[in-house]
Amino acid sequence: MNLNSITTSKESLPILLGLKQVSKKNIYIFPTDKEANEFKNNFSNLNENIEIFPGWDTLTYDSFIPSYEIQGKRLAVIHSLLTTKEVNIATSIKAVSQRLFFENLDVVEISIDQEIDFEILIENLIHLKYVRKDRVEAKGTFAVRGGQLDVYPINRTEPIRLIFDGDTVIELRNFNPISQRSSTVEKSSIIVPATELFQINKLDILEAVSSNKNKELDEYELFQYCQNLSSNHSLFNFVDKSSFHIVDIERCK
């Protein structure tokens, strides 16, 4: 793994980034999320495969958890790192310094004409911390109605509807969570875990904070108590052959 510092003018930055690509996976670390997003917006015409790995949209002592949207984006980027041959990621110091509480990323991949045991699919969604409901209206939930399975992956802007014939997926569509009406057809979809804490064992957390092992924890408490765990994982653990580049914006001006 290479850790480089880029100190050049903004005009020549895209050229230098091209020269710096010593590997097919490159991560550019900016001071803030704002500058990482500006980089993608300004240079996406040169490379369409720039992804953003955002930091949590919360502060340390906020009384709420990072949004599903942010968690979904972070998990989707890690999936890209693990499964694609070429990827360019823009991120911030804050994002790469935040700990990750899983050693490997489990996802569900669905495509038209795929054969998958319906009951096993439900078990996999529960393993990924999706909550079964009567009707899918919010991210992180799924519902079953006969041979139809609705699920709202946190990495998608709309929920998806799977129609099965036995154990074969014969239809995959987006749908509106309010009207429940199906819309555009999809060929495939990736469902990432419903939370970054999908591998967390509640007993480990309670033991770390010396609390009653029968105590019920809500999502906010899980995120707060996880900070007491000894996990040292971060984005660096998922990029064995990637090249990290620190972009010094102040010296690029």
Side-chain angles (χ1 to χ4, degrees):
M1 181 176 68
N2 298 318
L3 190 60
N4 304 304
S5 178
I6 297 175
T7 56
T8 185
S9 67
K10 287 187 176 180
E11 289 75 14
S12 61
L13 183 57
I15 299 175
L16 184 57
L17 292 181
L19 295 175
K20 285 281 186 178
Q21 289 184 357
V22 295
S23 69
K24 293 185 178 181
K25 297 182 180 181
N26 296 277
I27 298 178
Y28 304 107
I29 305 174
F30 292 81
T32 67
D33 285 341
K34 177 183 177 182
E35 288 150 340
N37 280 286
E38 287 177 349
F39 167 74
K40 177 180 180 178
N41 294 335
N42 292 336
F43 302 133
S44 58
N45 61 320
L46 299 177
N47 191 325
E48 297 179 353
N49 298 319
I50 299 175
E51 299 187 44
I52 297 292
F53 183 76
W56 291 340
D57 51 349
T58 57
L59 299 175
T60 304
Y61 298 105
D62 280 345
S63 58
F64 48 88
I65 66 171
S67 67
Y68 282 132
E69 180 183 5
I70 291 296
Q71 291 188 64
K73 288 179 179 179
R74 287 164 59 89
L75 292 168
V77 168
I78 292 175
H79 180 262
S80 293
L81 276 173
L82 296 174
T83 59
T84 58
K85 293 182 178 180
E86 297 185 24
V87 63
N88 290 284
I89 295 170
T91 186
S92 65
I93 295 173
K94 171 186 175 181
V96 296
S97 64
Q98 289 169 335
R99 292 187 294 172
L100 298 170
F101 301 97
F102 51 89
E103 297 183 4
N104 50 70
L105 182 60
D106 300 325
V107 301
V108 172
E109 298 186 51
I110 299 289
S111 59
I112 294 293
D113 296 327
Q114 177 182 352
E115 289 193 8
I116 180 171
D117 187 286
F118 195 77
E119 294 302 321
I120 291 179
L121 174 58
I122 293 174
E123 291 177 6
N124 288 339
L125 290 175
I126 293 173
H127 166 69
L128 297 181
K129 303 303 181 184
Y130 282 82
V131 178
R132 187 166 182 170
K133 298 284 187 178
D134 294 331
R135 173 186 171 108
V136 168
E137 297 176 324
K139 289 190 175 187
T141 62
F142 75 97
V144 178
R145 185 182 303 169
Q148 173 182 304
L149 188 147
D150 294 347
V151 58
Y152 203 152
I154 68 169
N155 55 305
R156 295 183 63 94
T157 56
E158 287 186 309
I160 55 175
R161 174 164 292 153
L162 308 173
I163 306 297
F164 284 79
D165 180 6
D167 287 333
T168 302
V169 180
I170 60 173
E171 190 173 309
L172 197 166
R173 289 179 177 270
N174 297 311
F175 71 92
N176 187 303
I178 299 176
S179 68
Q180 296 288 301
R181 291 185 177 180
S182 300
S183 54
T184 54
V185 176
E186 298 281 347
K187 292 183 178 180
S188 62
S189 181
I190 294 171
I191 304 172
V192 302
T195 170
E196 291 184 33
L197 307 183
F198 73 100
Q199 285 186 356
I200 287 295
N201 186 326
K202 187 188 77 169
L203 294 180
D204 292 339
I205 296 177
L206 294 175
E207 184 176 335
V209 297
S210 301
S211 183
N212 181 356
K213 292 186 178 181
N214 294 319
K215 180 179 180 179
E216 292 297 325
L217 299 176
D218 58 28
E219 286 185 293
Y220 166 69
E221 289 175 317
L222 279 174
F223 255 98
Q224 290 300 311
Y225 287 168
C226 275
Q227 311 309 314
N228 294 286
L229 297 178
S230 58
S231 171
N232 292 318
H233 295 291
S234 68
L235 191 62
F236 292 95
N237 295 90
F238 294 89
V239 281
D240 293 339
K241 297 181 180 179
S242 295
S243 179
F244 281 80
H245 309 286
I246 298 177
V247 182
D248 189 338
I249 291 296
E250 290 301 316
R251 296 180 64 182
C252 285
K253 293 180 179 179

